[in-house]
Amino acid sequence: MNHTIEVPHRRFNPLTGQWVLVSTGRTQRPWTGQTDAVVASDRPEYDPDCYLCPGNTRAGGVDNPQYDSTFVFTNDFASLNPLTPDVAVSDHPLLQAHSEHGTCRVICFSPRHDLTLANMPAAAVRATVELWASQVEELSASYEWVQVFENRGELMGASNPHPHGQIWAGSALPTLPGLEDSHQLAYTTDTGRLLLSDYLDEELTDGSRIVVDGEAWVVLVPYWAVWPYETMVLPKESIGHLDDTTNAQRDDLAAVLQKLLGRYDALFSRSFPYSMGWHGRHADHWTLHGHFFPPLMGPDRQKFMVGYEMLAEAQRDISAEDAADRLRSVGERT
Ligand code: H2U
Ligand code: ZN
């Protein structure tokens, strides 16, 4: 099917039930962006003032160990606490509230202050994948939802350039995963199949939105992408969550992520900001997937979700196919 629709149109996100307005008229101009990858870091390998570097004292007064791979600690300023009691805050139908317990962790991807997931050695990215999987396994025994994520870059509010992410785990199913849960369940109930498996089959047949086609994982710009260079990471064999992956799948995930992040950095010749995270659940109707939401439209141009987006619905003006094409055509970093 030809999806190169040039008139303004709306696309449907079957995972959440939300629509996005696509106005591609302005994007028919030729692509003149920089394509060479020059992303030099001027940061030191070790920063004595960084609260995440090995051996340093954190803001809460605790000393980090001299870690030499990955490192996890409970967030000193956690938004969720495991000891919060179950209390009914309100029973008014229009003023609903209930207490929420959980935990928040910070995960350092590397002891090296100057690296990012995009330019770390392959073994370090693989170690990060391993850490994500083991954290999901541990925390999903106690919590309903485990959200692994990374805010990269000041533009996304990252408080420190040291390569790190976060995990928040809580007793409730949050709003967005809740939408993905109900839409995947309805699809499986209706068809007996998996929504994201069927979707990936369509994408692999079409090919126009594929960015990286690995052994076990595919990165694509979703048909319903909202952010200009938004991507989704999908397993070729459907699995529920990161801890369900085999070693071979973990190896390939690290390789595929490096390819994606190399392309992101090469796109505008700068360290590419984003928020990324994993959505997965140990349930038969679920397919694990990663979302990357980068805010940039150009090297120094940010997409603002304001006005129409805040009041009506999301809008984009570069087509998903065009974004995928640009990400495919930039050189991978070696
Ligand atoms: P972000 O860069 O995505 O904000 O993550 C860093 C987290 O690290 C942030 O949530 C925590 C902040 O609360 N933190 C500590 O736990 N200890 C510190 O000493 C400083 C920052
Ligand atoms: Zn550091």
Side-chain angles (χ1 to χ4, degrees):
M1 200 188 301
N2 180 9
H3 291 284
T4 323
I5 316 169
E6 290 182 14
V7 294
H9 59 281
R10 296 167 75 222
R11 293 189 185 188
F12 180 63
N13 179 343
L15 260 184
T16 62
Q18 291 166 334
W19 291 81
V20 53
L21 174 64
V22 186
S23 327
T24 56
R26 307 195 302 129
T27 63
Q28 302 313 312
R29 63 190 188 279
W31 167 235
T32 53
Q34 270 274 20
T35 55
D36 49 334
V38 186
V39 187
S41 165
D42 54 6
R43 296 199 301 273
E45 288 187 18
Y46 166 76
D47 177 352
D49 296 324
C50 168
Y51 57 75
L52 298 180
C53 274
N56 290 0
T57 304
R58 297 204 301 273
V62 179
D63 290 342
N64 293 329
Q66 285 293 348
Y67 66 98
D68 57 11
S69 174
T70 57
F71 169 53
V72 189
F73 62 92
T74 298
N75 198 312
D76 298 308
F77 309 97
S79 302
L80 294 166
N81 187 311
L83 302 177
T84 301
D86 278 337
V87 283
V89 183
S90 156
D91 55 8
H92 191 292
L94 297 180
L95 304 169
Q96 296 185 40
H98 59 80
S99 63
E100 170 73 357
H101 70 272
T103 189
C104 297
R105 294 179 178 175
V106 179
I107 50 177
C108 298
F109 302 150
S110 163
R112 286 268 303 267
H113 186 79
D114 56 326
L115 299 182
T116 66
L117 271 184
N119 60 20
M120 257 172 215
V125 182
R126 178 64 176 80
T128 300
V129 170
E130 196 66 33
L131 179 70
W132 285 336
S134 62
Q135 289 290 305
V136 165
E137 183 175 28
E138 179 195 328
L139 290 167
S140 44
S142 312
Y143 296 108
E144 185 69 19
W145 185 254
V146 179
Q147 186 58 62
V148 175
F149 64 99
E150 178 193 5
N151 296 320
R152 178 177 166 197
E154 280 173 34
L155 213 51
M156 295 313 289
S159 53
N160 182 323
H162 193 110
H164 70 283
Q166 297 191 46
I167 304 174
W168 293 22
S171 53
L173 182 61
T175 307
L176 295 175
L179 286 174
E180 293 193 351
D181 184 69
S182 57
H183 284 82
Q184 288 179 94
L185 180 60
Y187 187 87
T188 298
T189 306
D190 287 353
T191 66
R193 297 192 305 271
L194 290 166
L195 190 159
L196 285 176
S197 286
D198 282 2
Y199 173 63
L200 182 59
D201 286 347
E202 288 297 316
E203 289 291 10
L204 287 170
T205 305
D206 179 296
S208 64
R209 284 170 296 276
I210 306 289
V211 178
V212 183
D213 187 2
E215 290 281 315
W217 302 84
V218 175
V219 181
L220 52 83
V221 178
Y223 187 65
W224 53 82
V226 166
W227 295 92
Y229 293 96
E230 175 177 336
T231 56
M232 206 160 135
V233 184
L234 282 162
K236 286 190 171 170
E237 291 287 325
S238 185
I239 40 172
H241 216 324
L242 284 162
D243 52 336
D244 298 331
T245 47
T246 62
N247 280 331
Q249 283 170 317
R250 291 178 193 187
D251 291 345
D252 189 57
L253 181 55
V256 161
L257 288 177
Q258 278 204 305
K259 285 185 180 154
L260 170 66
L261 296 176
R263 288 178 183 279
Y264 270 157
D265 278 4
L267 186 65
F268 299 131
S269 297
R270 58 168 284 178
S271 189
F272 202 73
Y274 57 75
S275 273
M276 70 78 65
W278 292 101
H279 281 167
R281 220 174 177 204
H282 301 114
D284 289 344
H285 57 285
W286 261 86
T287 300
L288 166 72
H289 55 279
H291 291 287
F292 280 81
F293 300 127
L296 294 182
M297 309 175 73
D300 296 308
R301 207 161 145 233
Q302 193 181 337
K303 163 85 183 162
F304 291 102
M305 291 287 179
V306 294
Y308 193 79
E309 278 95 348
M310 280 182 163
L311 290 153
E313 69 188 14
Q315 181 271 344
R316 62 183 286 124
D317 54 22
I318 163 178
S319 74
E321 296 71 36
D322 202 2
D325 193 44
R326 291 177 188 187
L327 285 169
R328 272 194 308 265
S329 59
V330 290
E332 273 173 35
R333 304 182 63 217
T334 49

